[in-house]
Amino acid sequence: TMSLREHALSLFRGALGTVRPAPMLKRALKLQGDGCPQLLVKGQAFPVKRDLYLVGFGKAVLGMAAAAEEILGDHLTRGIINVPLGIQESLKQAGMQEMLLKPHSKIQVIEGAKNNLPDAEALKGAVAIQELAEGLTADDLLLVLISGGGSALLPAPIPPILLEEKEKLTKMLASRGAAIQELNIVRKALSMLKGGGLAQLAHPARVVSLILSDVIGDPLDIIASGPTAASSHSVQDCLHILTKYNLLHNLPKSVEMVLSSSPTKPTAPENYSHVSNIILGSNTLALEEARRQAEGLGYAALVLSAAVHGEVGRVATLYCQLIQLVCLGFTSLGEGPLGDELRGNLLQLAAELQIPGLDLDEFLQALRGLGPDRPVCILAGGETTVQLQGTGKGGRNQELALRVGLGLHKAQATGASSPQGRCEILFLSGGTDGQDGPTEAAGAFCSPGLVAEALQEGLDVEAFLRNNDSYTFFSQFQGGHHLLVTGLTGTNVMDIQAILIRAM
């Protein structure tokens, strides 16, 4: 019999496999016919009347472009992609040739956005993409590849605004506590290409965007700041945010000029009739694949949500209580007062976390209906946040796994959930891009015995957590055996968590 760890690893790899750029594109994109060829995307047909162009920006776009060029062959006239600095070298080092363009490719690669910040190189790429888009005719087709990180790689401030001025304004907003959504609304108002700008410039050409989503809920106008999606915001929204953070009266002249001459209403949706935005990969698709594989391994598998977010400690508590509830279900105690108390706590916690689209009541009903004999697999995804207090090294996935381990240990120690002892439990949390924080790990595994075993090795889990030092803990504990190390994956659909439980 395979260990729970091997099962969890195989589910994580399966989920990853389905959102890797090459297989994902090859499933979704086909070119058909020779006379008047058609581009088929997930069954939708787009005639290639004249020239076919490709542009792209984002962390996973290099692999997407390599696969697209293979599919399009000679039909591709020319392409330009903006990708993160150093990515070609990193992929070469990692032996991931399939993610790289062939020699003599028709696609020009521009690397920029060092440290994920817009810079002169990213601007050069954005300008090249803008010029290509502006030159298209009604008979041309523009294929746009978009993934997370595309925002920093597509900076093109509306003249006369300079990149430095836009950057300075964004930094001032951030330092005054503006949320990422607010920053994006301001950025879009000052940008040539974001907020649907690229699609407008490419008009009247047909625009087909293939999108790999790294944002909860897959909102088209937020992923990479929505260059081909109608923006739901106007210049009024931007002014409102600048007023809120007291910045309206010390704006650079150039920004004032642009804002005062901007149209007051967002571009009407009917002006986007030449655009098709298609989500190719997302956390939801990755979880679906993991669920399919878990069922193949004999688990009763349920997906909790693809939109789990919130402070990592609260999310860990949610997972710990779910685990205890499943273990109670394996005994006859699931319907007793302890089960009711856990369900009550869970409903309250879920209400506080406000996870979009999660009907926990319905989920708990489904859990009840599973029956005590099959092992259970609960899958979830999204992106948690860590409030940094210490100076340690780690990432949100490793910290989440360590906090779940600590929570299970404490539940066992209080004796409140003795049924845990009759279950074998494994928890895994990993980032689909293969990197968790500034470490080479993608995440980590934990089980209820972790804290006690660590104490025997002289490692104090709570001290590591206080210092946000989960990576150091996992590196020192049992020779790093609990770290999830996948290497760069060339894709990103946020994080994936798996809970595996079987009766002993």
Side-chain angles (χ1 to χ4, degrees), residues 80-150:
I80 303 171
I81 57 172
N82 271 13
V83 295
L85 190 67
I87 191 162
Q88 296 178 94
E89 193 46 46
S90 301
L91 290 169
K92 213 174 278 168
Q93 299 276 321
M96 297 170 80
Q97 296 315 54
E98 75 283 2
M99 297 260 188
L100 297 168
L101 296 170
K102 303 276 181 288
H104 316 303
S105 162
K106 289 180 186 165
I107 300 172
Q108 178 191 357
V109 181
I110 297 172
E111 292 193 356
K114 187 179 180 183
N115 299 329
N116 206 18
L117 294 168
D119 55 18
E121 286 307 305
L123 180 59
K124 190 178 98 181
V127 169
I129 286 175
Q130 182 182 330
E131 286 170 354
L132 186 149
E134 286 171 332
L136 302 178
T137 70
D139 287 341
D140 292 323
L141 184 89
L142 179 65
L143 192 60
V144 184
L145 307 176
I146 300 177
S147 77

Side-chain angles (χ1 to χ4, degrees), residues 427-441:
F427 176 80
L428 160 73
S429 187
T432 54
D433 59 355
Q435 289 177 305
D436 187 31
T439 73
E440 85 278 8

Side-chain angles (χ1 to χ4, degrees), residues 353-403:
L353 284 168
Q354 293 185 325
I355 294 165
L358 169 61
D359 184 341
L360 191 64
D361 238 344
E362 195 181 304
F363 183 82
L364 294 177
Q365 281 306 114
L367 258 187
R368 271 178 158 159
L370 290 182
D373 32 3
R374 279 175 76 192
V376 173
C377 169
I378 296 176
L379 296 156
E383 206 158 85
T384 57
T385 43
V386 176
Q387 302 288 329
L388 284 180
Q389 255 119 37
T391 53
K393 194 173 177 187
R396 57 181 184 259
N397 289 290
Q398 293 164 76
E399 178 147 337
L400 179 59
L402 196 49
R403 285 186 182 278

Side-chain angles (χ1 to χ4, degrees), residues 6-18:
E6 287 167 317
H7 282 170
L9 200 52
S10 127
L11 298 181
F12 188 76
R13 293 217 166 107
L16 267 185
T18 200

Side-chain angles (χ1 to χ4, degrees), residues 161-204:
I161 301 174
L162 301 172
L163 187 60
E164 298 75 73
E165 293 175 317
K166 189 174 150 189
E167 271 317 278
K168 197 172 150 197
L169 180 58
T170 315
K171 281 198 179 116
M172 276 162 73
L173 275 168
S175 70
R176 293 182 184 197
I180 183 72
Q181 288 82 353
E182 294 177 313
L183 292 178
N184 281 341
I185 290 169
V186 173
R187 276 190 198 131
K188 283 197 284 194
L190 306 177
S191 172
M192 290 289 295
L193 301 175
K194 297 181 165 108
L198 177 61
Q200 293 304 319
L201 291 174
H203 186 272

Side-chain angles (χ1 to χ4, degrees), residues 158-162 165 190 248-261:
I158 298 172
I161 301 174
L162 301 172
E165 293 175 317
L190 306 177
L248 202 52
H249 301 297
N250 43 6
L251 292 174
K253 284 279 169 285
S254 57
V255 173
E256 276 181 15
M257 262 177 69
V258 166
L259 290 176
S260 63
S261 60

